[in-house]
Amino acid sequence: MASRYRAAPLLARAARRAPSTSTSVSPATSASASALARTQPRLQQARCLATSRPITLQYTAPARQVKFSSETYPELKRDERFNKLTPEHVKYFRSILGSQSAVIDGVYPNKAPDDIEPFNSDWMRKYRGHCQLVLKPGSTEEVSKILKYCNEHSLAVVPQGGNTGLVGGSVPVFDEIVINMGRMNKIIDFDEVGGTLVAEAGCILEVADQFLASKGYIFPLDLGAKGSCQIGGNLATNAGGLRLLRYGSLHGTVLGIEAVLPDGTVLDDLCKLRKNNTGYDLKQLFIGAEGTLGIITKVSIQCPQRSKAQNVAFFGLESYELAQQAFREAKGQLSEILSAFELMDGGSQELVSSVTKNKKPLEGEYPFYCLIETSGSNAEHDGEKLEAFLEDVMEKGIVADGTLAQDETQIKALWGWREGITESLSHLGGTYKYDVSIPLADMYQLVEDTRARVDAAGLLGDTDEHPVRAVVGYGHMGDANLHLNISTRRFDKRVEECLEPFVYEWIQKRQGSISAEHGLGLQKKKYINYSRNDTAVQLMRRVKSMFDPVSYFRNHFLSRFQTAFL
């Protein structure tokens, strides 16, 4: 990988050539070279978050009791059409699931509620339900029997994968039965010529990717939570992830699915072909439907060849406008090998630094940082292209300082500064998260306007009487996907009222989407009209009614969505 080593002096050359009048170039042009020279020992101290392993944390917020969602949102009322669980129901489920570990029961006396608690709340400790029964089916047949029985006996259910979502869509609010897909985790088949993977919905994303790596392929989706999220949940929320820029969305890569409908009917649409134009493409209805039309049990997906050469660069920039210029130059000059372009603001990097105590990749402090990844088949060719790009953006004064990974350890460490943001925020208290899409030119303005609004309300400050610590933004610049994060010392209703519906109104005015990833869940259920018009909402109702005529299939998207809008 000699081509990577040549990039360090190249950046130094470009810095010397950059016009001294440019405000976007570091005053000490030699800082780039000196920072790059020290890259390796500095980066070895960082921990990689690409596989969702915990970073070394210096601060952990004190544990707190999670408030029940039914108390946080008192306007939500239990639908009395649904029956309550009885020991007889539990007995039936035990008879079909068999394994003791497949049923976690809080209905019978003397059962430990602690066993159920992890399924009752989300990882952010923001949403919490009253579930008394968790079912873990091991096959499509078992899922079918469960849903058929629930449909006939008016029992509400919530499908659950890895429970890594942000909007409360995979946890109950009342006493819904949780159907956890974790036991259905097998890889069924892989075509080593065509690159088609068939796997069960409970397969962990990282496990699937590691299997594919052994075959020379890659899963076309990559997330910071890949060590715990499940591919069925990825489909149900239409997860985009870090490399959508390169591989596209799941709507394009998924070839077929198997799903169980609310009445227990099994839909076998597990096509393995890239071309199948025989009627409606039914699988698309389930991708992004958040489990409201049925539970995905198997998936067939097209997987690309794994790139042999990978490069990662980390830049500091003086403005968001320059970040946009860098993105445009990267698309033009790196085109076919560009696999990721991530944006982080200075505030997000400060939070990661304060929690991990790791040294930053760059010497100076900058308002914005970008991480670029390239993936190709020819290391020498890719290195030359990247060198030319780096020289160009430095000469033009677009990039103020930067570093280039020289080995796999450094690649993982640089990615840690992007993927470590969510983990670090979780150790500082509560976080209000908004995963949204906004036209690129306006994307970061939402962060600035939200910060100003929270500050004007007297909620932002350095002392305990201020609930908000910081307002930061980062995300996938390659697909105009912003992660707006409001880091708080505690969840506070005043903060939520300050943010909502302000954030959604702001997005609506710019014709953005209030949910780029993760779906609507509980958090955004009543705000769908900020992104979808009445005609679209009515069509969704018709689709839902066709799959589930009596609305016995309970989930936070369309069942409550119907109450709110219809």
Side-chain angles (χ1 to χ4, degrees):
M1 306 295 287
S3 60
R4 289 180 179 165
Y5 288 90
R6 293 199 297 270
L10 180 141
L11 277 176
R13 277 202 314 274
R16 288 193 294 271
R17 294 175 186 171
S20 59
T21 57
S22 172
T23 58
S24 63
V25 178
S26 173
T29 55
S30 61
S32 296
S34 61
L36 286 163
R38 289 190 294 273
T39 294
Q40 187 164 347
R42 179 176 298 178
L43 289 174
Q44 285 176 338
Q45 298 177 22
R47 293 283 299 279
C48 171
L49 293 178
T51 57
S52 305
R53 302 291 188 262
I55 51 181
T56 304
L57 299 168
Q58 305 296 325
Y59 169 84
T60 300
R64 56 182 176 79
Q65 183 67 35
V66 184
K67 193 175 182 180
F68 287 112
S69 298
S70 57
E71 297 173 358
T72 304
Y73 304 98
E75 69 274 13
L76 296 176
K77 304 298 181 183
R78 187 185 186 280
D79 193 330
E80 294 306 320
R81 291 178 301 169
F82 299 128
N83 291 323
K84 294 187 177 181
L85 278 168
T86 67
E88 287 71 27
H89 295 144
V90 177
K91 183 178 180 180
Y92 172 77
F93 292 127
R94 287 193 183 280
S95 72
I96 62 172
L97 296 183
S99 170
Q100 184 70 23
S101 63
V103 179
I104 303 177
D105 168 26
V107 178
Y108 279 99
N110 304 320
K111 295 292 182 180
D114 290 346
D115 294 338
I116 288 182
E117 193 57 32
F119 304 93
N120 248 328
S121 59
D122 68 321
W123 67 273
M124 296 189 302
R125 299 178 65 79
K126 184 178 180 181
Y127 303 103
R128 184 184 178 201
H130 300 268
C131 169
Q132 294 180 290
L133 183 66
V134 177
L135 304 178
K136 296 182 176 182
S139 68
T140 300
E141 181 183 7
E142 290 179 354
V143 176
S144 176
K145 289 180 179 179
I146 290 169
L147 292 186
K148 185 175 186 296
Y149 184 88
C150 289
N151 191 61
E152 292 172 349
H153 292 79
S154 301
L155 298 173
V157 304
V158 172
Q160 186 178 90
N163 203 11
T164 60
L166 302 180
V167 293
S170 60
V171 292
V173 173
F174 301 107
D175 55 348
E176 300 95 318
I177 298 170
V178 168
I179 301 178
N180 184 278
M181 299 299 290
R183 290 180 64 224
M184 292 187 62
N185 55 16
K186 301 180 184 66
I187 292 173
I188 299 169
D189 183 47
F190 181 64
D191 179 354
E192 296 194 33
V193 177
T196 303
L197 175 75
V198 180
E200 291 181 321
C203 184
I204 300 295
L205 176 58
E206 186 174 36
V207 172
D209 188 58
Q210 289 175 344
F211 168 81
L212 289 166
S214 69
K215 307 293 184 180
Y217 285 81
I218 188 172
F219 202 92
L221 172 70
D222 189 22
L223 305 170
K226 65 183 177 184
S228 51
C229 67
Q230 299 173 10
I231 60 176
N234 297 150
L235 266 65
T237 56
N238 191 24
L242 301 165
R243 297 186 177 94
L244 185 141
L245 176 65
R246 176 68 172 269
Y247 301 119
S249 76
L250 292 172
H251 279 295
T253 54
V254 172
L255 302 177
I257 64 164
E258 177 189 81
V260 181
L261 306 185
D263 65 357
T265 301
V266 176
L267 171 65
D268 184 355
D269 191 25
L270 202 61
C271 177
K272 301 178 186 179
L273 305 173
R274 299 188 70 178
K275 291 184 176 181
N276 181 11
N277 192 28
T278 50
Y280 299 130
D281 192 0
L282 294 177
K283 69 176 180 289
Q284 301 295 351
L285 291 174
F286 293 84
I287 300 173
E290 301 180 64
T292 58
L293 303 181
I295 297 181
I296 297 171
T297 50
K298 294 187 179 83
V299 59
S300 169
I301 189 165
Q302 184 69 43
C303 302
Q305 290 276 164
R306 185 173 291 266
S307 299
K308 296 178 181 178
Q310 189 178 66
N311 298 276
V312 170
F314 189 94
F315 303 140
L317 307 102
E318 296 288 358
S319 70
Y320 179 65
E321 288 70 25
L322 290 172
Q324 293 178 75
Q325 290 184 39
F327 177 49
R328 186 169 60 183
E329 295 290 345
K331 287 194 297 181
Q333 298 184 42
L334 301 175
S335 57
E336 80 280 1
I337 61 172
L338 183 63
S339 54
F341 195 107
E342 298 293 299
L343 174 76
M344 301 83 72
D345 66 8
S348 68
Q349 297 302 280
E350 281 299 321
L351 290 175
V352 175
S353 177
S354 68
V355 170
T356 65
K357 304 302 180 184
N358 290 329
K359 280 191 175 182
K360 298 178 181 178
L362 304 180
E363 260 189 2
E365 304 288 336
Y366 300 96
F368 295 91
Y369 299 87
C370 288
L371 184 149
I372 293 180
E373 179 190 80
T374 64
S375 301
S377 60
N378 188 310
E380 184 174 356
H381 168 267
D382 295 352
E384 290 173 355
K385 291 199 72 167
L386 187 57
E387 286 178 9
F389 165 75
L390 294 175
E391 183 172 7
D392 185 63
V393 292
M394 291 294 287
E395 286 180 342
K396 292 176 179 176
I398 296 173
V399 170
D401 194 4
T403 186
L404 186 67
Q406 297 180 4
D407 54 39
E408 186 65 25
T409 299
Q410 293 184 15
I411 287 175
K412 291 180 178 179
L414 286 179
W415 266 114
W417 287 92
R418 164 59 181 87
E419 294 189 297
I421 299 172
T422 297
E423 178 85 16
S424 297
L425 285 167
S426 70
H427 289 268
L428 294 172
T431 308
Y432 291 91
K433 293 176 174 289
Y434 299 88
D435 192 321
V436 299
S437 290
I438 304 167
L440 205 53
D442 298 325
M443 191 172 79
Y444 193 76
Q445 189 63 44
L446 175 59
V447 182
E448 296 179 341
D449 290 353
T450 301
R451 186 184 296 121
R453 179 179 175 84
V454 172
D455 191 22
L459 301 172
L460 176 63
D462 297 328
T463 55
D464 286 342
E465 62 263 26
H466 299 93
V468 178
R469 294 176 181 272
V471 178
V472 301
Y474 61 98
H476 317 303
M477 195 163 185
D479 35 285
N481 180 186
L482 173 71
H483 303 325
L484 170 65
N485 280 237
I486 296 84
S487 175
T488 67
R489 294 175 172 84
R490 57 196 171 274
F491 288 117
D492 190 309
K493 198 66 176 176
R494 293 176 300 162
V495 177
E496 187 170 329
E497 291 172 351
C498 180
L499 296 171
E500 299 175 8
F502 166 76
V503 170
Y504 305 127
E505 292 172 344
W506 193 101
I507 293 168
Q508 182 185 43
K509 290 176 183 177
R510 291 155 182 84
Q511 297 182 312
S513 171
I514 66 170
S515 179
E517 301 174 313
H518 296 281
L520 295 172
L522 177 61
Q523 178 186 356
K524 302 177 182 180
K525 67 179 184 62
K526 64 181 180 181
Y527 298 113
I528 188 173
N529 279 121
Y530 285 99
S531 289
R532 294 298 182 95
N533 59 39
D534 290 339
T535 302
V537 169
Q538 292 300 323
L539 285 174
M540 289 183 196
R541 179 194 180 189
R542 294 180 190 177
V543 172
K544 170 66 175 175
S545 297
M546 182 184 67
F547 280 86
D548 187 13
V550 292
S551 295
Y552 284 162
F553 197 61
R554 178 74 181 275
N555 191 272
H556 304 313
F557 175 33
L558 285 177
S559 51
R560 295 205 190 100
F561 154 88
Q562 288 178 336
T563 302
F565 294 106
L566 304 177

